[in-house]
Amino acid sequence: MAITNTLFDRSILGTSALAMIPVNHIMRPLELTDFRKGYMECLSNLTIVGDVTEDMFSDNFEEMQRAGGYFIIVIEDLLAERIVASGSLVVEQKFLRNCGRVGHIEDIVVAKGQQGKRFGFTVIKQLLDLANATGCYKAILDCDADNVAFYEKCGLVNKGNVQMAVYAPDAAHK
């Protein structure tokens, strides 16, 4: 597979969510050039990013692209040339459900000063459309209790599950 500037083929993006994007903004797949458009700064509104260099970003991007199953979308403010929102769908191949697929929605973030513009809702809608387009029998996400009401407004159902985690001893976490 040849490495391209775009993480995945934009032709699989659903059109209903794209229609929700305001003027002077675009929703699209993550691109290699997004490092310089503040993608990592946008992510830092969610959790610890670390000291990611442009080379590290590029290497990770190419690894995700080669592996397939990674669908990171961004909303870019075209006038400012800045990433203002993002979200990820990671497609997991299963043996369950007739070798079905599960979509894991991750890393939903809207940059500071950009909340209230329905960017989060629009990103979730697009990721759900992508889950459907890639053949996922379900899409799931973990969230803080404070965010349950938001995700319910996006059409997700609280299944009452509890997230469990263990971090590597030397891993920074928040």
Side-chain angles (χ1 to χ4, degrees):
M1 169 186 207
I3 301 301
T4 63
N5 184 51
T6 303
L7 187 60
F8 63 92
D9 183 355
R10 71 179 62 229
S11 70
I12 67 170
L13 291 177
T15 57
S16 61
L18 292 175
M20 299 168 64
I21 300 298
V23 175
N24 298 321
H25 290 75
I26 186 172
M27 181 187 293
R28 58 171 174 73
L30 182 70
E31 296 178 353
L32 271 171
T33 55
D34 289 335
F35 183 87
R36 294 184 182 186
K37 293 182 179 179
Y39 177 69
M40 302 308 290
E41 293 160 44
C42 185
L43 281 182
S44 72
N45 290 296
L46 183 63
T47 190
I48 298 167
V49 173
D51 297 322
V52 177
T53 66
E54 191 166 2
D55 285 341
M56 291 166 66
F57 177 86
S58 179
D59 290 347
N60 204 49
F61 180 98
E62 291 174 7
E63 188 174 325
M64 288 176 161
Q65 195 176 53
R66 275 192 296 274
Y70 291 91
F71 301 89
I72 301 174
I73 59 171
V74 297
I75 297 177
E76 179 185 353
D77 177 330
L78 295 170
L79 297 178
E81 295 184 341
R82 300 300 287 173
I83 303 304
V84 296
S86 182
S88 304
L89 174 75
V90 179
V91 177
E92 175 190 8
Q93 187 69 48
K94 308 284 276 185
F95 284 105
L96 301 170
R97 306 265 180 157
N98 295 313
C99 294
R101 294 178 176 161
V102 173
H104 297 268
I105 296 175
E106 301 278 345
D107 306 333
I108 305 303
V109 62
V110 176
K112 289 183 180 161
Q114 300 295 318
Q115 290 87 1
K117 297 180 180 180
R118 298 185 50 89
F119 289 150
F121 179 87
T122 306
V123 165
I124 292 290
K125 172 109 177 80
Q126 184 62 259
L127 294 174
L128 292 173
D129 287 350
L130 279 168
N132 186 54
T134 56
C136 295
Y137 69 87
K138 73 176 177 179
I140 58 177
L141 67 81
D142 293 325
C143 70
D144 291 333
D146 294 346
N147 296 331
V148 169
F150 167 73
Y151 289 115
E152 287 176 334
K153 288 179 187 174
C154 294
L156 286 95
V157 176
N158 183 348
K159 300 298 282 186
N161 297 335
V162 174
Q163 179 193 52
M164 306 291 288
V166 63
Y167 289 89
D170 59 345
H173 59 279
K174 186 175 181 181

